[in-house]
Amino acid sequence: MTQGKMGLTKQYLAYKPVSSFNIIASSRANISFISVNNVDGRYVVVAAAEKVIVWNMRIGEKVAEFTRDKQEVTFLRASPDHKHLAVGYSDGVVEMFSFESKQSVCSFAAHRSAVSALNFDLLGLKLASGGLDNDVVVSDVVAQTGKCRLTGHSAPITQVCFMQRYHDVIVTSSKDTQIKFWNVETHCCFKTIVDHRTEVWGIVLMRNDDFLVCGSADTQLSVYRIAPNTDESKPIQATEDQLLVEESTVSPFRCTAIGSIQRAGYGRTINLVADGNGQVLGCHGTDKQIELFYFAPVDEAVKKLTKRMKKLNAKKFNETETQPEVDVRQLSLTDEIKRLSPILTSDKVKSFDLLLGSRSELRICCTFLKNFIELFSLDMDVKKAEPVSLHSIHKQGHPSEARTVSFSSDNLAIASGSAESLKLWNRSSQTVLRTIDTSGYVVSTCFVPGDRHVLVGLKSGELLIVDIVAGEELERIEAHEKEVWSIVLTPDMHGCVTGGGDMTVKFWSFELIANPERPDLKVLSLLHKNTLKLEETVLCVRISSNGKYIAVALLDTTVKIFFLDSLKFYLSLYGHKLPVLTMDISYDSSLIVTGSADRTIKIWGMDFGDCHRSLLAHDNTVTALQFIPNTHMFFSCGKDGKLKQWDADNFQKIVTLPGHLGEAHALAISPNGKYVVSCGSDRTLRLFHRTDEPLVLQDVQEEEREELENATLATGEESAVPGLPGLQLPSKKTIGSEKGAENILECLEVSKQYEEEGAKGPLPPLMFAYSATNTDDFLLTVLSRIRASDLEESLLLLPFAAVCELLERIPKLTITRKDQTELICKVVLFLFRVHQKPIVSNQVLLPVIQKIIHTLQEAICELRDMIGMNFHASQMLQRELEENDGCVLFRDATKLRVQRDRRRKRREASKRILVNITK
């Protein structure tokens, strides 16, 4: 790495993230079908740690990626028009992305903990989100602000649904065993179902809100019928008490339990999913199958009931006599619900989604625990049809967590090992080159000189020699009795050394032996040369570059150094309180760095074994560290998920890179020092590259200090207003809202000072920065730059004196800037709602309030008239264009006629075929 002097400070080069790969679909979030270029059933969107990926299931490739920051994605939901994607994160933020631009459209800081449920209404204008903070927040997608916060559940929310038939009604389920019905306009709960004794894990509305199906911790699905609150809809058999209870409610409908569906699977219900029309219901538990149920339309159910009644009454009525009429209210669950063939899967299902096509083809896409996606198809028209697997995506990632990574000597390939396989990756494209089944748990890997072979150490003690070109295992050697924790090449590149859990260090040399199948070809093998026996389990082995020493980390918290040629004891490094899990020796063999489970990194001198410095490096166990080639700088990672760069000369931390969401297991640095790759428990491999951007240590430390200060809110977590103790805004306080309040206060102060000076002379620097020529434009620019979801929280933080000053400026603003009428209305209405009592009791504000009412009403009427005129004028232009282009007004009618003609021609063609066959 090139280094230089910048004054008295040392200059470094920055490492930046390139990409994260290996993960196909996170098990925490759900999967959803989306439409791309009006193509349905082929594209799915899944979460991949902090990213969102769109997969093309037919060709198994990524179509698009959406990223926000280092927060894990917990829930996904596509809008009904498939133009936007709502993504819920673990920090309670809901981000809206556009499929067209791949960028964030708006952001809702809704919850104080992870988002657990998301759902759009029928038109996609409202978005309801449920979180682990027990709250439900309804947001306005068009206005990009929160609408209301619904509090009433006493446990995390599991599902949120909008009712289609009843306007502004939301159904929510929670782990508190309750199902609640809410009215969005009144912000109140008007009905609660308390029938369940265990947690309600999912609810779904079927067949246009005719049924409510609930899944709990048992193996049954509860079914409720939803009917309007009219005399005709009352059940035939009902007690007077039931009728009195129903009549006394304020609900527009009745929700009556009519039975349950017995699941074939075992364990609790994990997911309940319905297709877009509410005809097919899918559910799965903790086993390896997805059960499907078909909710028949009313006419189809009546036919089935009639058929059943005929069979029951066959003894009472003759065939010639008329059958009794069938009442719709006599329908049972067996008439309306049909069980379809279940989907038996190869692994535990984590989430799935359904899509019912126009030709009665049902597509089911599932994500699994072992990091793969599979697409199934089921033909609904065929009786007792079995589901068929169409496509799957599984080769692009390890089924389990990667535990070890290593770089090839040419810096082009990365090897990663997991519990069952070894994968070779192309470093530039992050794609899989080879996948080799190891039939064992990989704990260590090492490239053989020439980059044609990889040595793989298993947990069982076996050492594998893998041929990369052929993609096959050449030899399996019983190297150790227990785990092969470490593999390192000798400095002369003629052999390797392995350290195992059987308290031995073994020395091997590379040999070329004849291939048993083809004697004319030679293959690589290992020849055991020597064994070093020790008193404790060997956790790590390293050899100095000059070939003089071998360092061995033992389970007794010490590191013992031996002479490599004679294996005689040289030094013992003791000082760690817990075992040393990782270490490395510098290129000039002068320093050795050890990382321990006690969270510290110690830098030692190789000459005398003296400890130069002990650093409290991570918040948890240090799992891996490695020197950057030809430098005294090194990288370390730990179970806190962080990846840090250090300087062993001045004992300073250089920078903290964006690490893993969980634990970091291992890291590797390329031989040229330009790339760093790490693996972790979030199933991602993260690649970083060295840029030409200079990095000054003092600047980095200052930036990290600022980030830490910004992460803590200066005004506290809670939003408090005098006189309103139970204020429940549909948003939470963020750094953006605090900065917005600061900007408003600063704007008012600068404007007041400028006006006191007579509004003459040079503009204040802040006004000039906002490109404002007067105080009115300045204030509106500041207000408009505050994010819509943060505006209310920013106004809430203003002191009452600033509120009065802001209101005094509103009448003039309304007259001069009618293009911002909507924003001014938003500000005024919120301030009046929050500070109503002090504003009303303040006599000085009375004339200001009268002016605001008068000017705002005029501005709103003018805006409404302008929009109405433009709307009707555009309709008139549309009619003129349609008249000029022909009969386009009856587009729907012509479409229906074309469809009828096609069906008629199809029937005639089938009749002709039948006639030909009979002849």
Side-chain angles (χ1 to χ4, degrees):
M1 175 187 269
T2 57
Q3 299 173 11
K5 294 289 183 180
M6 188 174 176
L8 295 175
T9 61
K10 194 171 183 180
Q11 182 180 334
Y12 305 94
L13 294 179
Y15 280 82
K16 298 291 183 183
V18 177
S19 176
S20 63
F21 50 101
N22 177 61
I23 187 166
I24 298 171
S26 295
S27 58
R28 185 173 181 183
N30 62 318
I31 186 172
S32 179
F33 277 106
I34 61 167
S35 176
V36 177
N37 299 327
N38 296 323
V39 177
D40 294 325
R42 186 186 301 176
Y43 300 93
V44 294
V45 59
V46 296
E50 75 279 3
K51 296 193 298 186
V52 177
I53 299 176
V54 178
W55 288 100
N56 185 334
M57 292 300 298
R58 176 176 287 184
I59 60 177
E61 288 184 359
K62 292 180 186 177
V63 176
E65 276 188 7
F66 304 95
T67 55
R68 176 179 162 247
D69 57 9
K70 292 297 296 180
Q71 296 293 336
E72 187 178 7
V73 177
T74 56
F75 208 88
L76 302 165
R77 184 70 69 189
S79 61
D81 57 1
H82 293 284
K83 290 183 178 179
H84 295 94
L85 177 70
V87 182
Y89 291 89
S90 58
D91 61 348
V93 174
V94 178
E95 199 89 18
M96 290 277 292
F97 292 96
S98 169
F99 281 116
E100 185 178 354
S101 65
K102 311 291 187 299
Q103 299 294 323
S104 173
V105 177
C106 63
S107 178
F108 303 104
H111 299 276
R112 292 169 180 82
S113 55
V115 177
S116 57
L118 285 172
N119 232 323
F120 284 92
D121 67 346
L122 187 61
L123 298 176
L125 302 179
K126 296 189 188 73
L127 175 67
S129 61
L132 299 183
D133 57 356
N134 311 346
D135 291 347
V136 177
V137 176
V138 182
S139 304
D140 191 330
V141 176
V142 179
Q144 299 184 3
T145 57
K147 195 173 176 65
C148 64
R149 181 181 294 273
L150 309 175
T151 57
H153 285 290
S154 58
I157 308 298
T158 54
Q159 189 57 273
V160 178
C161 298
F162 274 96
M163 297 192 75
Q164 298 181 7
R165 193 185 301 175
Y166 302 96
H167 186 61
D168 282 342
V169 176
I170 290 179
V171 193
T172 62
S173 64
S174 168
K175 290 184 183 179
D176 62 2
T177 73
Q178 296 180 355
I179 299 170
K180 290 181 179 290
F181 293 80
W182 308 80
N183 189 314
V184 177
E185 292 300 323
T186 60
H187 307 176
C188 70
C189 171
F190 61 86
K191 184 186 281 289
T192 303
I193 298 175
V194 291
D195 296 349
H196 298 88
R197 294 174 179 265
T198 56
E199 299 94 343
V200 180
W201 290 99
I203 55 171
V204 68
L205 293 163
M206 301 299 299
R207 214 179 71 183
N208 194 21
D209 298 346
D210 281 344
F211 298 99
L212 174 69
V213 184
C214 317
S216 58
D218 53 19
T219 58
Q220 289 185 338
L221 303 178
S222 306
V223 183
Y224 295 84
R225 188 186 297 277
I226 298 174
N229 241 343
T230 57
D231 294 335
E232 291 81 8
S233 66
K234 289 176 183 175
I236 295 175
Q237 297 177 349
T239 62
E240 294 182 2
D241 294 337
Q242 286 177 334
L243 295 179
L244 286 172
V245 169
E246 290 295 342
E247 289 172 356
S248 64
T249 58
V250 293
S251 170
F253 53 81
R254 290 184 303 102
C255 188
T256 313
I258 57 171
S260 61
I261 304 172
Q262 180 63 47
R263 288 175 40 230
Y266 57 85
R268 72 170 179 89
T269 303
I270 294 180
N271 276 326
L272 277 180
V273 179
D275 71 303
N277 297 324
Q279 289 181 292
V280 181
L281 169 69
C283 72
H284 76 88
T286 55
D287 52 355
K288 299 179 181 180
Q289 67 171 335
I290 298 174
E291 297 176 65
L292 301 172
F293 304 93
Y294 174 66
F295 282 70
V298 178
D299 51 353
E300 192 176 326
V302 169
K303 287 180 182 178
K304 195 172 181 181
L305 175 62
T306 308
K307 205 174 192 180
R308 185 164 58 87
M309 294 293 285
K310 283 182 180 180
K311 289 182 180 178
L312 290 174
N313 298 323
K315 296 179 181 179
K316 297 181 181 179
F317 298 94
N318 297 324
E319 293 182 1
T320 55
E321 295 179 1
T322 58
Q323 301 294 331
E325 293 184 3
V326 175
D327 195 339
V328 177
R329 290 176 291 178
Q330 293 177 334
L331 289 170
S332 66
L333 283 181
T334 54
D335 300 321
E336 298 186 278
I337 302 175
K338 173 187 173 185
R339 188 185 293 269
L340 302 176
S341 301
I343 299 173
L344 303 177
T345 59
S346 58
D347 191 42
K348 282 190 177 181
V349 181
K350 297 305 292 183
S351 70
F352 71 100
D353 196 21
L354 303 176
L355 184 67
L356 186 58
S358 57
R359 297 181 181 178
S360 298
E361 182 195 3
L362 181 68
R363 291 205 169 184
I364 308 99
C365 201
C366 317
T367 62
F368 296 89
L369 184 65
K370 289 189 176 178
N371 192 30
F372 69 98
I373 309 172
E374 194 164 2
L375 179 65
F376 297 91
S377 175
L378 180 67
D379 194 344
M380 300 276 290
D381 289 340
V382 179
K383 195 173 182 180
K384 294 183 180 180
E386 291 296 326
V388 180
S389 176
L390 296 180
H391 309 285
S392 67
I393 301 174
H394 62 277
K395 291 182 179 179
Q396 287 87 335
H398 284 285
S400 57
E401 300 173 11
R403 305 296 301 196
T404 175
V405 286
S406 57
F407 259 105
S408 61
S409 61
D410 58 4
N411 315 294
L412 297 177
I414 300 170
S416 62
S418 67
E420 59 285 300
S421 62
L422 175 79
K423 283 187 181 287
L424 275 298
W425 303 84
N426 185 324
R427 189 258 308 154
S428 58
S429 63
Q430 295 95 46
T431 55
V432 178
L433 300 174
R434 294 284 187 276
T435 300
I436 298 98
D437 184 15
T438 58
S439 302
Y441 201 110
V442 180
V443 292
S444 56
T445 55
C446 179
F447 275 89
V448 175
D451 297 332
R452 188 183 174 90
H453 301 85
V454 177
L455 300 177
V456 181
L458 301 183
K459 207 169 186 178
S460 60
E462 295 174 315
L463 187 62
L464 305 185
I465 304 174
V466 174
D467 189 340
I468 297 174
V469 179
E472 60 183 15
E473 174 190 321
L474 293 180
E475 190 176 0
R476 185 177 290 256
I477 303 167
E478 298 286 343
H480 294 268
E481 295 177 3
K482 291 184 179 179
E483 304 90 346
V484 183
W485 287 121
S486 187
I487 306 173
V488 61
L489 296 175
T490 55
D492 58 4
M493 299 297 176
H494 291 164
C496 66
V497 179
T498 60
D502 56 354
M503 300 185 287
T504 60
V505 175
K506 294 190 177 182
F507 298 81
W508 311 80
S509 64
F510 297 126
E511 297 286 339
L512 288 174
I513 62 171
N515 191 341
E517 297 177 359
R518 294 183 61 183
D520 55 328
L521 292 178
K522 291 188 176 182
V523 294
L524 182 72
S525 181
L526 289 177
L527 179 65
H528 181 221
K529 292 176 65 179
N530 204 351
T531 301
L532 174 63
K533 294 185 178 180
L534 296 146
E535 308 84 36
E536 290 287 343
T537 298
V538 177
L539 298 177
C540 188
V541 177
R542 289 293 181 267
I543 300 175
S544 61
S545 300
N546 57 12
K548 195 174 181 182
Y549 306 110
I550 177 170
V552 183
L554 302 176
L555 194 62
D556 62 359
T557 74
T558 64
V559 176
K560 292 191 178 344
I561 303 177
F562 301 88
F563 289 103
L564 185 60
D565 51 359
S566 62
L567 297 184
K568 286 185 178 180
F569 177 75
Y570 171 54
L571 285 173
S572 180
L573 310 179
Y574 52 89
H576 284 288
K577 296 177 181 177
L578 290 172
V580 174
L581 302 180
T582 177
M583 61 182 177
D584 199 16
I585 301 174
S586 63
Y587 74 102
D588 55 3
S589 305
S590 62
L591 295 175
I592 179 170
V593 181
T594 57
S596 167
D598 62 5
R599 304 179 297 171
T600 63
I601 288 175
K602 292 184 186 293
I603 302 170
W604 315 77
M606 286 288 285
D607 296 333
F608 306 102
D610 55 325
C611 181
H612 292 180
R613 187 63 63 92
S614 179
L615 306 169
L616 183 61
H618 292 270
D619 298 332
N620 208 329
T621 302
V622 181
T623 54
L625 60 83
Q626 187 178 341
F627 272 103
I628 300 173
N630 303 320
T631 70
H632 279 180
M633 290 178 288
F634 63 93
F635 277 94
S636 70
C637 65
K639 286 189 177 180
D640 58 356
K642 295 176 182 175
L643 198 67
K644 298 183 179 182
Q645 185 184 1
W646 306 84
D647 192 333
D649 289 332
N650 56 19
F651 319 120
Q652 294 278 351
K653 185 189 75 174
I654 300 170
V655 70
T656 301
L657 297 177
H660 295 268
L661 297 177
E663 300 177 357
H665 295 319
L667 66 85
I669 300 175
S670 62
N672 61 6
K674 290 185 177 180
Y675 299 95
V676 180
V677 66
S678 65
C679 61
S681 62
D682 57 0
R683 301 197 180 194
T684 60
L685 297 178
R686 297 180 186 269
L687 182 66
F688 305 86
H689 76 108
R690 191 175 68 207
T691 63
D692 295 329
E693 178 187 342
L695 203 66
V696 180
L697 204 58
Q698 285 79 358
D699 295 347
V700 174
Q701 291 171 352
E702 186 65 30
E703 286 176 8
E704 289 183 357
R705 201 177 301 116
E706 286 180 4
E707 284 181 11
L708 194 62
E709 289 175 359
N710 290 338
T712 56
L713 295 171
T715 57
E717 294 286 341
E718 297 298 324
S719 301
V721 177
L724 292 174
L727 184 66
Q728 291 286 345
L729 288 179
S731 57
K732 70 173 182 180
K733 199 181 295 181
T734 61
I735 304 298
S737 59
E738 285 189 343
K739 287 182 178 177
E742 287 177 9
N743 292 338
I744 294 172
L745 290 172
E746 199 172 14
C747 168
L748 293 174
E749 186 181 349
V750 170
S751 300
K752 186 178 180 181
Q753 188 177 356
Y754 182 62
E755 287 171 352
E756 285 177 354
E757 294 173 358
K760 295 178 181 178
L763 289 173
L766 198 61
M767 284 180 63
F768 187 77
Y770 278 92
S771 303
T773 55
N774 54 59
T775 54
D776 295 339
D777 292 345
F778 183 30
L779 179 58
L780 276 175
T781 307
V782 169
L783 288 172
S784 60
R785 288 195 181 184
I786 300 173
R787 197 168 60 180
S789 56
D790 287 335
L791 181 61
E792 290 187 354
E793 291 284 352
S794 298
L795 295 172
L796 200 64
L797 290 171
L798 297 178
F800 186 66
V803 171
C804 296
E805 192 176 342
L806 185 59
L807 288 175
E808 288 171 358
R809 295 178 178 274
I810 292 296
K812 187 182 175 185
L813 280 178
T814 310
I815 296 170
T816 56
R817 292 296 301 272
K818 293 188 178 180
D819 57 320
Q820 295 286 349
T821 303
E822 187 180 354
L823 176 63
I824 295 169
C825 281
K826 215 181 274 185
V827 172
V828 169
L829 290 174
F830 179 75
L831 292 177
F832 272 48
R833 191 165 68 246
V834 173
H835 301 283
Q836 182 191 9
K837 290 182 181 179
I839 287 174
V840 170
S841 59
N842 192 338
Q843 294 296 325
V844 181
L845 285 177
L846 185 60
V848 176
I849 294 171
Q850 290 175 345
K851 281 184 183 178
I852 289 174
I853 293 171
H854 178 68
T855 54
L856 266 184
Q857 281 181 344
E858 283 187 353
I860 290 170
C861 289
E862 187 177 337
L863 183 65
R864 188 172 55 196
D865 293 343
M866 182 182 68
I867 291 172
M869 187 182 74
N870 289 339
F871 176 69
H872 289 288
S874 61
Q875 282 188 330
M876 185 187 73
L877 290 173
Q878 181 186 2
R879 282 197 298 271
E880 288 181 359
L881 288 171
E882 288 176 350
E883 286 175 3
N884 293 333
D885 294 343
C887 186
V888 191
L889 281 170
F890 304 100
R891 187 186 290 111
D892 295 337
T894 53
K895 278 185 178 179
L896 291 172
R897 188 185 64 194
V898 170
Q899 289 176 359
R900 281 200 303 269
D901 291 341
R902 285 178 182 169
R903 284 198 295 268
R904 180 174 51 79
K905 289 178 181 177
R906 206 177 293 129
R907 283 198 303 269
E908 290 174 359
S910 62
K911 287 178 183 177
R912 284 197 297 271
I913 292 169
L914 289 171
V915 168
N916 291 335
I917 289 172
T918 52
K919 285 182 179 180

